[in-house]
Amino acid sequence: DIRIVKQLGKGAFGEVFLGVVNREERAIKVVNKCAGGPSLYREIQVMDRLRHPNIVSIHEVFDAGPQLCMTLDFASGGDLDGLLRRLGPVSE
């Protein structure tokens, strides 16, 4: 059960939405397979292997014809780019 709430952002290869999946907030990334190319599949493989409390995890990947839909942890504080724009350089 997936419900789209609102669009969070848009990039060159797709869009990211806030959604509710099984009563949990998730980011839903929708990417054009052709535009993403091999790097898209590499991104999915890397995210699937990473398990760290400070890194967004990928939960599911759905093939939707010309697009791939990925459900990810929702980072309510925004993205890293927005954080760096607000705070400037940060230490490790």
Side-chain angles (χ1 to χ4, degrees), residues 41-88:
Y41 296 97
R42 205 168 318 123
E43 175 186 354
I44 293 168
Q45 288 176 333
V46 169
M47 289 184 74
D48 191 46
R49 290 181 186 157
L50 286 173
R51 297 287 179 248
H52 190 279
N54 297 329
I55 297 176
V56 169
S57 294
I58 190 167
H59 294 274
E60 295 179 84
V61 179
F62 301 97
D63 189 329
Q67 300 172 318
L68 280 180
C69 301
M70 297 170 262
T71 63
L72 312 161
D73 290 335
F74 173 59
S76 61
D79 63 8
L80 182 58
D81 182 55
L83 177 74
L84 294 175
R85 288 176 193 268
R86 284 192 310 272
L87 300 179

mmCIF file of all heavy atoms in Angstrom, residues 41-88:
data_model
loop_
_atom_site.group_PDB
_atom_site.id
_atom_site.type_symbol
_atom_site.label_atom_id
_atom_site.label_comp_id
_atom_site.label_asym_id
_atom_site.label_seq_id
_atom_site.Cartn_x
_atom_site.Cartn_y
_atom_site.Cartn_z
ATOM 1 N N TYR A 41 21.801 1.578 -11.859
ATOM 2 C CA TYR A 41 21.847 0.236 -11.280
ATOM 3 C C TYR A 41 22.998 0.101 -10.279
ATOM 4 O O TYR A 41 22.876 -0.584 -9.275
ATOM 5 C CB TYR A 41 21.924 -0.812 -12.394
ATOM 6 C CG TYR A 41 20.677 -0.790 -13.235
ATOM 7 C CD1 TYR A 41 20.627 -0.084 -14.435
ATOM 8 C CD2 TYR A 41 19.508 -1.407 -12.802
ATOM 9 C CE1 TYR A 41 19.467 -0.029 -15.190
ATOM 10 C CE2 TYR A 41 18.338 -1.358 -13.548
ATOM 11 C CZ TYR A 41 18.330 -0.666 -14.741
ATOM 12 O OH TYR A 41 17.173 -0.611 -15.469
ATOM 13 N N ARG A 42 24.094 0.807 -10.533
ATOM 14 C CA ARG A 42 25.211 0.827 -9.583
ATOM 15 C C ARG A 42 24.785 1.502 -8.282
ATOM 16 O O ARG A 42 25.099 1.034 -7.185
ATOM 17 C CB ARG A 42 26.395 1.556 -10.213
ATOM 18 C CG ARG A 42 27.709 1.150 -9.641
ATOM 19 C CD ARG A 42 28.907 1.645 -10.451
ATOM 20 N NE ARG A 42 28.700 1.500 -11.890
ATOM 21 C CZ ARG A 42 28.761 2.515 -12.764
ATOM 22 N NH1 ARG A 42 29.044 3.725 -12.380
ATOM 23 N NH2 ARG A 42 28.550 2.310 -14.049
ATOM 24 N N GLU A 43 24.047 2.604 -8.397
ATOM 25 C CA GLU A 43 23.545 3.310 -7.213
ATOM 26 C C GLU A 43 22.671 2.377 -6.373
ATOM 27 O O GLU A 43 22.802 2.320 -5.146
ATOM 28 C CB GLU A 43 22.730 4.535 -7.629
ATOM 29 C CG GLU A 43 22.071 5.246 -6.471
ATOM 30 C CD GLU A 43 21.137 6.369 -6.899
ATOM 31 O OE1 GLU A 43 21.052 6.703 -8.086
ATOM 32 O OE2 GLU A 43 20.466 6.930 -6.000
ATOM 33 N N ILE A 44 21.788 1.643 -7.029
ATOM 34 C CA ILE A 44 20.901 0.722 -6.311
ATOM 35 C C ILE A 44 21.707 -0.370 -5.610
ATOM 36 O O ILE A 44 21.457 -0.687 -4.447
ATOM 37 C CB ILE A 44 19.858 0.117 -7.270
ATOM 38 C CG1 ILE A 44 18.901 1.210 -7.739
ATOM 39 C CG2 ILE A 44 19.089 -1.012 -6.607
ATOM 40 C CD1 ILE A 44 18.006 0.807 -8.890
ATOM 41 N N GLN A 45 22.702 -0.933 -6.286
ATOM 42 C CA GLN A 45 23.530 -1.985 -5.681
ATOM 43 C C GLN A 45 24.279 -1.471 -4.466
ATOM 44 O O GLN A 45 24.336 -2.137 -3.431
ATOM 45 C CB GLN A 45 24.528 -2.531 -6.701
ATOM 46 C CG GLN A 45 23.900 -3.388 -7.767
ATOM 47 C CD GLN A 45 24.911 -3.827 -8.811
ATOM 48 O OE1 GLN A 45 25.917 -3.154 -9.042
ATOM 49 N NE2 GLN A 45 24.644 -4.954 -9.441
ATOM 50 N N VAL A 46 24.863 -0.289 -4.586
ATOM 51 C CA VAL A 46 25.626 0.281 -3.466
ATOM 52 C C VAL A 46 24.699 0.579 -2.292
ATOM 53 O O VAL A 46 24.989 0.225 -1.144
ATOM 54 C CB VAL A 46 26.380 1.557 -3.907
ATOM 55 C CG1 VAL A 46 26.945 2.305 -2.712
ATOM 56 C CG2 VAL A 46 27.490 1.192 -4.881
ATOM 57 N N MET A 47 23.548 1.219 -2.560
ATOM 58 C CA MET A 47 22.622 1.548 -1.480
ATOM 59 C C MET A 47 22.080 0.293 -0.803
ATOM 60 O O MET A 47 21.851 0.286 0.405
ATOM 61 C CB MET A 47 21.468 2.398 -2.012
ATOM 62 C CG MET A 47 21.883 3.801 -2.373
ATOM 63 S SD MET A 47 20.490 4.803 -2.884
ATOM 64 C CE MET A 47 19.700 5.082 -1.304
ATOM 65 N N ASP A 48 21.889 -0.766 -1.572
ATOM 66 C CA ASP A 48 21.380 -2.014 -1.006
ATOM 67 C C ASP A 48 22.384 -2.650 -0.046
ATOM 68 O O ASP A 48 22.007 -3.300 0.915
ATOM 69 C CB ASP A 48 21.022 -2.985 -2.129
ATOM 70 C CG ASP A 48 20.253 -4.190 -1.624
ATOM 71 O OD1 ASP A 48 19.303 -3.995 -0.840
ATOM 72 O OD2 ASP A 48 20.601 -5.320 -2.013
ATOM 73 N N ARG A 49 23.662 -2.442 -0.300
ATOM 74 C CA ARG A 49 24.718 -3.033 0.552
ATOM 75 C C ARG A 49 25.020 -2.208 1.801
ATOM 76 O O ARG A 49 25.523 -2.742 2.780
ATOM 77 C CB ARG A 49 26.002 -3.188 -0.255
ATOM 78 C CG ARG A 49 25.898 -4.246 -1.309
ATOM 79 C CD ARG A 49 27.200 -4.382 -2.051
ATOM 80 N NE ARG A 49 27.048 -5.298 -3.168
ATOM 81 C CZ ARG A 49 27.818 -5.302 -4.219
ATOM 82 N NH1 ARG A 49 28.814 -4.442 -4.315
ATOM 83 N NH2 ARG A 49 27.613 -6.162 -5.183
ATOM 84 N N LEU A 50 24.769 -0.909 1.740
ATOM 85 C CA LEU A 50 25.112 -0.032 2.866
ATOM 86 C C LEU A 50 24.118 -0.181 4.010
ATOM 87 O O LEU A 50 22.907 -0.130 3.806
ATOM 88 C CB LEU A 50 25.134 1.423 2.417
ATOM 89 C CG LEU A 50 26.307 1.852 1.565
ATOM 90 C CD1 LEU A 50 26.085 3.275 1.066
ATOM 91 C CD2 LEU A 50 27.602 1.767 2.331
ATOM 92 N N ARG A 51 24.625 -0.346 5.183
ATOM 93 C CA ARG A 51 23.802 -0.380 6.399
ATOM 94 C C ARG A 51 24.512 0.465 7.452
ATOM 95 O O ARG A 51 25.502 0.045 8.040
ATOM 96 C CB ARG A 51 23.633 -1.812 6.916
ATOM 97 C CG ARG A 51 22.899 -2.730 5.966
ATOM 98 C CD ARG A 51 21.403 -2.396 5.936
ATOM 99 N NE ARG A 51 20.720 -3.262 5.004
ATOM 100 C CZ ARG A 51 20.178 -2.859 3.866
ATOM 101 N NH1 ARG A 51 20.243 -1.595 3.516
ATOM 102 N NH2 ARG A 51 19.574 -3.701 3.068
ATOM 103 N N HIS A 52 24.035 1.683 7.638
ATOM 104 C CA HIS A 52 24.648 2.600 8.607
ATOM 105 C C HIS A 52 23.555 3.529 9.115
ATOM 106 O O HIS A 52 22.709 3.975 8.331
ATOM 107 C CB HIS A 52 25.764 3.409 7.934
ATOM 108 C CG HIS A 52 26.595 4.185 8.893
ATOM 109 N ND1 HIS A 52 26.197 5.404 9.392
ATOM 110 C CD2 HIS A 52 27.795 3.898 9.459
ATOM 111 C CE1 HIS A 52 27.119 5.850 10.221
ATOM 112 N NE2 HIS A 52 28.103 4.961 10.269
ATOM 113 N N PRO A 53 23.540 3.843 10.404
ATOM 114 C CA PRO A 53 22.466 4.671 10.958
ATOM 115 C C PRO A 53 22.421 6.091 10.390
ATOM 116 O O PRO A 53 21.391 6.750 10.460
ATOM 117 C CB PRO A 53 22.744 4.684 12.466
ATOM 118 C CG PRO A 53 24.158 4.260 12.615
ATOM 119 C CD PRO A 53 24.480 3.389 11.439
ATOM 120 N N ASN A 54 23.529 6.573 9.810
ATOM 121 C CA ASN A 54 23.560 7.935 9.277
ATOM 122 C C ASN A 54 23.433 7.995 7.755
ATOM 123 O O ASN A 54 23.639 9.047 7.167
ATOM 124 C CB ASN A 54 24.848 8.635 9.705
ATOM 125 C CG ASN A 54 24.924 8.773 11.214
ATOM 126 O OD1 ASN A 54 23.913 8.904 11.885
ATOM 127 N ND2 ASN A 54 26.119 8.721 11.751
ATOM 128 N N ILE A 55 23.121 6.872 7.131
ATOM 129 C CA ILE A 55 22.965 6.826 5.676
ATOM 130 C C ILE A 55 21.565 6.317 5.350
ATOM 131 O O ILE A 55 21.103 5.334 5.921
ATOM 132 C CB ILE A 55 24.030 5.901 5.038
ATOM 133 C CG1 ILE A 55 25.434 6.461 5.307
ATOM 134 C CG2 ILE A 55 23.784 5.765 3.543
ATOM 135 C CD1 ILE A 55 26.552 5.572 4.815
ATOM 136 N N VAL A 56 20.897 7.011 4.440
ATOM 137 C CA VAL A 56 19.557 6.624 4.011
ATOM 138 C C VAL A 56 19.605 5.219 3.425
ATOM 139 O O VAL A 56 20.467 4.908 2.610
ATOM 140 C CB VAL A 56 19.022 7.630 2.972
ATOM 141 C CG1 VAL A 56 17.764 7.131 2.316
ATOM 142 C CG2 VAL A 56 18.785 8.982 3.622
ATOM 143 N N SER A 57 18.678 4.360 3.842
ATOM 144 C CA SER A 57 18.615 2.982 3.348
ATOM 145 C C SER A 57 17.565 2.851 2.254
ATOM 146 O O SER A 57 16.529 3.506 2.287
ATOM 147 C CB SER A 57 18.240 2.016 4.476
ATOM 148 O OG SER A 57 19.251 1.967 5.439
ATOM 149 N N ILE A 58 17.845 1.970 1.311
ATOM 150 C CA ILE A 58 16.879 1.647 0.270
ATOM 151 C C ILE A 58 16.076 0.439 0.756
ATOM 152 O O ILE A 58 16.633 -0.479 1.352
ATOM 153 C CB ILE A 58 17.585 1.376 -1.075
ATOM 154 C CG1 ILE A 58 16.578 1.286 -2.216
ATOM 155 C CG2 ILE A 58 18.477 0.166 -1.008
ATOM 156 C CD1 ILE A 58 17.223 1.338 -3.590
ATOM 157 N N HIS A 59 14.769 0.467 0.560
ATOM 158 C CA HIS A 59 13.925 -0.623 1.041
ATOM 159 C C HIS A 59 13.411 -1.509 -0.081
ATOM 160 O O HIS A 59 13.480 -2.723 0.020
ATOM 161 C CB HIS A 59 12.750 -0.068 1.860
ATOM 162 C CG HIS A 59 13.200 0.586 3.123
ATOM 163 N ND1 HIS A 59 13.411 -0.114 4.280
ATOM 164 C CD2 HIS A 59 13.527 1.873 3.400
ATOM 165 C CE1 HIS A 59 13.833 0.722 5.220
ATOM 166 N NE2 HIS A 59 13.907 1.923 4.713
ATOM 167 N N GLU A 60 12.861 -0.903 -1.125
ATOM 168 C CA GLU A 60 12.298 -1.682 -2.227
ATOM 169 C C GLU A 60 12.565 -0.978 -3.548
ATOM 170 O O GLU A 60 12.692 0.243 -3.591
ATOM 171 C CB GLU A 60 10.786 -1.843 -2.065
ATOM 172 C CG GLU A 60 10.370 -2.647 -0.846
ATOM 173 C CD GLU A 60 8.869 -2.738 -0.729
ATOM 174 O OE1 GLU A 60 8.299 -3.628 -1.379
ATOM 175 O OE2 GLU A 60 8.294 -1.916 -0.008
ATOM 176 N N VAL A 61 12.616 -1.770 -4.612
ATOM 177 C CA VAL A 61 12.747 -1.234 -5.962
ATOM 178 C C VAL A 61 11.650 -1.871 -6.806
ATOM 179 O O VAL A 61 11.470 -3.087 -6.777
ATOM 180 C CB VAL A 61 14.126 -1.554 -6.572
ATOM 181 C CG1 VAL A 61 14.225 -1.013 -7.988
ATOM 182 C CG2 VAL A 61 15.243 -0.992 -5.704
ATOM 183 N N PHE A 62 10.896 -1.029 -7.523
ATOM 184 C CA PHE A 62 9.810 -1.494 -8.379
ATOM 185 C C PHE A 62 10.100 -1.096 -9.814
ATOM 186 O O PHE A 62 10.477 0.040 -10.078
ATOM 187 C CB PHE A 62 8.472 -0.848 -7.976
ATOM 188 C CG PHE A 62 8.059 -1.130 -6.571
ATOM 189 C CD1 PHE A 62 8.321 -0.221 -5.561
ATOM 190 C CD2 PHE A 62 7.390 -2.303 -6.257
ATOM 191 C CE1 PHE A 62 7.930 -0.460 -4.259
ATOM 192 C CE2 PHE A 62 6.992 -2.560 -4.961
ATOM 193 C CZ PHE A 62 7.264 -1.641 -3.958
ATOM 194 N N ASP A 63 9.913 -2.019 -10.729
ATOM 195 C CA ASP A 63 10.039 -1.729 -12.147
ATOM 196 C C ASP A 63 8.675 -1.248 -12.633
ATOM 197 O O ASP A 63 7.686 -1.961 -12.515
ATOM 198 C CB ASP A 63 10.463 -2.992 -12.895
ATOM 199 C CG ASP A 63 10.829 -2.715 -14.338
ATOM 200 O OD1 ASP A 63 10.254 -1.789 -14.937
ATOM 201 O OD2 ASP A 63 11.696 -3.434 -14.862
ATOM 202 N N ALA A 64 8.630 -0.038 -13.160
ATOM 203 C CA ALA A 64 7.371 0.540 -13.631
ATOM 204 C C ALA A 64 7.516 0.924 -15.102
ATOM 205 O O ALA A 64 7.394 2.095 -15.471
ATOM 206 C CB ALA A 64 6.997 1.742 -12.776
ATOM 207 N N GLY A 65 7.822 -0.055 -15.935
ATOM 208 C CA GLY A 65 7.979 0.204 -17.368
ATOM 209 C C GLY A 65 9.228 1.009 -17.643
ATOM 210 O O GLY A 65 10.332 0.550 -17.375
ATOM 211 N N PRO A 66 9.081 2.251 -18.135
ATOM 212 C CA PRO A 66 10.262 3.062 -18.451
ATOM 213 C C PRO A 66 10.922 3.678 -17.214
ATOM 214 O O PRO A 66 11.939 4.343 -17.314
ATOM 215 C CB PRO A 66 9.708 4.153 -19.364
ATOM 216 C CG PRO A 66 8.280 4.283 -18.945
ATOM 217 C CD PRO A 66 7.841 2.897 -18.548
ATOM 218 N N GLN A 67 10.344 3.447 -16.038
ATOM 219 C CA GLN A 67 10.867 4.051 -14.813
ATOM 220 C C GLN A 67 11.140 2.987 -13.753
ATOM 221 O O GLN A 67 10.553 1.911 -13.761
ATOM 222 C CB GLN A 67 9.863 5.056 -14.251
ATOM 223 C CG GLN A 67 9.556 6.180 -15.205
ATOM 224 C CD GLN A 67 8.437 7.046 -14.708
ATOM 225 O OE1 GLN A 67 7.439 6.555 -14.195
ATOM 226 N NE2 GLN A 67 8.590 8.346 -14.874
ATOM 227 N N LEU A 68 12.039 3.341 -12.839
ATOM 228 C CA LEU A 68 12.255 2.548 -11.623
ATOM 229 C C LEU A 68 11.786 3.390 -10.454
ATOM 230 O O LEU A 68 12.034 4.600 -10.407
ATOM 231 C CB LEU A 68 13.735 2.220 -11.427
ATOM 232 C CG LEU A 68 14.306 1.072 -12.230
ATOM 233 C CD1 LEU A 68 15.782 0.893 -11.894
ATOM 234 C CD2 LEU A 68 13.561 -0.218 -11.993
ATOM 235 N N CYS A 69 11.106 2.766 -9.517
ATOM 236 C CA CYS A 69 10.662 3.440 -8.297
ATOM 237 C C CYS A 69 11.367 2.797 -7.117
ATOM 238 O O CYS A 69 11.349 1.583 -6.966
ATOM 239 C CB CYS A 69 9.147 3.300 -8.128
ATOM 240 S SG CYS A 69 8.206 3.966 -9.495
ATOM 241 N N MET A 70 11.987 3.618 -6.299
ATOM 242 C CA MET A 70 12.703 3.128 -5.126
ATOM 243 C C MET A 70 12.085 3.731 -3.875
ATOM 244 O O MET A 70 11.810 4.935 -3.843
ATOM 245 C CB MET A 70 14.171 3.530 -5.193
ATOM 246 C CG MET A 70 14.915 2.948 -6.361
ATOM 247 S SD MET A 70 16.547 3.693 -6.531
ATOM 248 C CE MET A 70 16.190 4.905 -7.795
ATOM 249 N N THR A 71 11.868 2.921 -2.857
ATOM 250 C CA THR A 71 11.427 3.460 -1.575
ATOM 251 C C THR A 71 12.649 3.531 -0.671
ATOM 252 O O THR A 71 13.409 2.581 -0.547
ATOM 253 C CB THR A 71 10.310 2.612 -0.940
ATOM 254 O OG1 THR A 71 10.789 1.309 -0.664
ATOM 255 C CG2 THR A 71 9.097 2.533 -1.841
ATOM 256 N N LEU A 72 12.831 4.704 -0.068
ATOM 257 C CA LEU A 72 14.001 4.997 0.758
ATOM 258 C C LEU A 72 13.559 5.553 2.099
ATOM 259 O O LEU A 72 12.435 6.039 2.245
ATOM 260 C CB LEU A 72 14.878 6.051 0.060
ATOM 261 C CG LEU A 72 15.216 5.831 -1.402
ATOM 262 C CD1 LEU A 72 15.654 7.132 -2.043
ATOM 263 C CD2 LEU A 72 16.302 4.800 -1.520
ATOM 264 N N ASP A 73 14.469 5.534 3.081
ATOM 265 C CA ASP A 73 14.199 6.229 4.336
ATOM 266 C C ASP A 73 13.908 7.690 4.015
ATOM 267 O O ASP A 73 14.520 8.271 3.121
ATOM 268 C CB ASP A 73 15.415 6.178 5.266
ATOM 269 C CG ASP A 73 15.680 4.807 5.826
ATOM 270 O OD1 ASP A 73 14.738 3.999 5.924
ATOM 271 O OD2 ASP A 73 16.849 4.529 6.166
ATOM 272 N N PHE A 74 12.988 8.290 4.743
ATOM 273 C CA PHE A 74 12.679 9.704 4.571
ATOM 274 C C PHE A 74 13.474 10.503 5.582
ATOM 275 O O PHE A 74 13.342 10.304 6.793
ATOM 276 C CB PHE A 74 11.178 9.957 4.748
ATOM 277 C CG PHE A 74 10.809 11.407 4.755
ATOM 278 C CD1 PHE A 74 11.100 12.212 3.663
ATOM 279 C CD2 PHE A 74 10.180 11.972 5.846
ATOM 280 C CE1 PHE A 74 10.762 13.553 3.658
ATOM 281 C CE2 PHE A 74 9.843 13.316 5.855
ATOM 282 C CZ PHE A 74 10.135 14.101 4.760
ATOM 283 N N ALA A 75 14.334 11.398 5.099
ATOM 284 C CA ALA A 75 15.127 12.282 5.961
ATOM 285 C C ALA A 75 14.354 13.598 6.097
ATOM 286 O O ALA A 75 14.409 14.444 5.204
ATOM 287 C CB ALA A 75 16.508 12.507 5.363
ATOM 288 N N SER A 76 13.631 13.756 7.181
ATOM 289 C CA SER A 76 12.728 14.903 7.338
ATOM 290 C C SER A 76 13.453 16.239 7.410
ATOM 291 O O SER A 76 12.857 17.274 7.159
ATOM 292 C CB SER A 76 11.859 14.718 8.580
ATOM 293 O OG SER A 76 12.666 14.638 9.730
ATOM 294 N N GLY A 77 14.742 16.220 7.721
ATOM 295 C CA GLY A 77 15.488 17.474 7.831
ATOM 296 C C GLY A 77 15.953 18.032 6.501
ATOM 297 O O GLY A 77 16.590 19.075 6.459
ATOM 298 N N GLY A 78 15.668 17.356 5.403
ATOM 299 C CA GLY A 78 16.102 17.829 4.090
ATOM 300 C C GLY A 78 17.309 17.041 3.594
ATOM 301 O O GLY A 78 17.743 16.076 4.223
ATOM 302 N N ASP A 79 17.867 17.499 2.486
ATOM 303 C CA ASP A 79 18.997 16.784 1.905
ATOM 304 C C ASP A 79 20.324 17.407 2.321
ATOM 305 O O ASP A 79 20.370 18.488 2.925
ATOM 306 C CB ASP A 79 18.875 16.708 0.381
ATOM 307 C CG ASP A 79 18.905 18.071 -0.291
ATOM 308 O OD1 ASP A 79 19.171 19.079 0.379
ATOM 309 O OD2 ASP A 79 18.666 18.116 -1.499
ATOM 310 N N LEU A 80 21.410 16.736 2.000
ATOM 311 C CA LEU A 80 22.740 17.194 2.389
ATOM 312 C C LEU A 80 23.065 18.534 1.742
ATOM 313 O O LEU A 80 23.648 19.406 2.392
ATOM 314 C CB LEU A 80 23.783 16.135 2.001
ATOM 315 C CG LEU A 80 25.228 16.430 2.374
ATOM 316 C CD1 LEU A 80 25.372 16.631 3.880
ATOM 317 C CD2 LEU A 80 26.134 15.311 1.896
ATOM 318 N N ASP A 81 22.677 18.721 0.503
ATOM 319 C CA ASP A 81 22.939 19.987 -0.184
ATOM 320 C C ASP A 81 22.280 21.148 0.557
ATOM 321 O O ASP A 81 22.911 22.188 0.785
ATOM 322 C CB ASP A 81 22.433 19.916 -1.625
ATOM 323 C CG ASP A 81 22.734 21.188 -2.390
ATOM 324 O OD1 ASP A 81 23.916 21.595 -2.434
ATOM 325 O OD2 ASP A 81 21.787 21.779 -2.949
ATOM 326 N N GLY A 82 21.033 20.972 0.969
ATOM 327 C CA GLY A 82 20.335 22.020 1.708
ATOM 328 C C GLY A 82 20.989 22.314 3.049
ATOM 329 O O GLY A 82 21.100 23.465 3.464
ATOM 330 N N LEU A 83 21.449 21.267 3.733
ATOM 331 C CA LEU A 83 22.131 21.437 5.017
ATOM 332 C C LEU A 83 23.411 22.243 4.846
ATOM 333 O O LEU A 83 23.678 23.178 5.601
ATOM 334 C CB LEU A 83 22.452 20.066 5.629
ATOM 335 C CG LEU A 83 23.225 20.092 6.932
ATOM 336 C CD1 LEU A 83 22.337 20.539 8.078
ATOM 337 C CD2 LEU A 83 23.829 18.737 7.237
ATOM 338 N N LEU A 84 24.207 21.896 3.837
ATOM 339 C CA LEU A 84 25.463 22.613 3.607
ATOM 340 C C LEU A 84 25.220 24.051 3.195
ATOM 341 O O LEU A 84 25.990 24.943 3.559
ATOM 342 C CB LEU A 84 26.298 21.890 2.552
ATOM 343 C CG LEU A 84 26.810 20.513 2.973
ATOM 344 C CD1 LEU A 84 27.517 19.827 1.815
ATOM 345 C CD2 LEU A 84 27.718 20.608 4.186
ATOM 346 N N ARG A 85 24.143 24.307 2.475
ATOM 347 C CA ARG A 85 23.813 25.684 2.099
ATOM 348 C C ARG A 85 23.421 26.502 3.332
ATOM 349 O O ARG A 85 23.734 27.685 3.432
ATOM 350 C CB ARG A 85 22.689 25.722 1.076
ATOM 351 C CG ARG A 85 23.106 25.265 -0.291
ATOM 352 C CD ARG A 85 21.895 25.234 -1.243
ATOM 353 N NE ARG A 85 22.198 24.532 -2.459
ATOM 354 C CZ ARG A 85 22.668 25.125 -3.560
ATOM 355 N NH1 ARG A 85 22.871 26.409 -3.566
ATOM 356 N NH2 ARG A 85 22.914 24.401 -4.630
ATOM 357 N N ARG A 86 22.742 25.866 4.288
ATOM 358 C CA ARG A 86 22.325 26.564 5.515
ATOM 359 C C ARG A 86 23.485 26.763 6.475
ATOM 360 O O ARG A 86 23.638 27.829 7.069
ATOM 361 C CB ARG A 86 21.211 25.794 6.226
ATOM 362 C CG ARG A 86 19.851 25.918 5.586
ATOM 363 C CD ARG A 86 18.733 25.375 6.483
ATOM 364 N NE ARG A 86 18.983 24.043 7.004
ATOM 365 C CZ ARG A 86 18.671 22.883 6.396
ATOM 366 N NH1 ARG A 86 18.120 22.922 5.190
ATOM 367 N NH2 ARG A 86 18.903 21.740 6.945
ATOM 368 N N LEU A 87 24.323 25.730 6.675
ATOM 369 C CA LEU A 87 25.347 25.751 7.709
ATOM 370 C C LEU A 87 26.738 26.089 7.210
ATOM 371 O O LEU A 87 27.604 26.435 7.994
ATOM 372 C CB LEU A 87 25.407 24.394 8.410
ATOM 373 C CG LEU A 87 24.139 23.920 9.105
ATOM 374 C CD1 LEU A 87 24.368 22.548 9.718
ATOM 375 C CD2 LEU A 87 23.699 24.917 10.161
ATOM 376 N N GLY A 88 26.963 25.936 5.910
ATOM 377 C CA GLY A 88 28.330 26.096 5.381
ATOM 378 C C GLY A 88 29.101 24.817 5.633
ATOM 379 O O GLY A 88 28.529 23.774 5.955
#
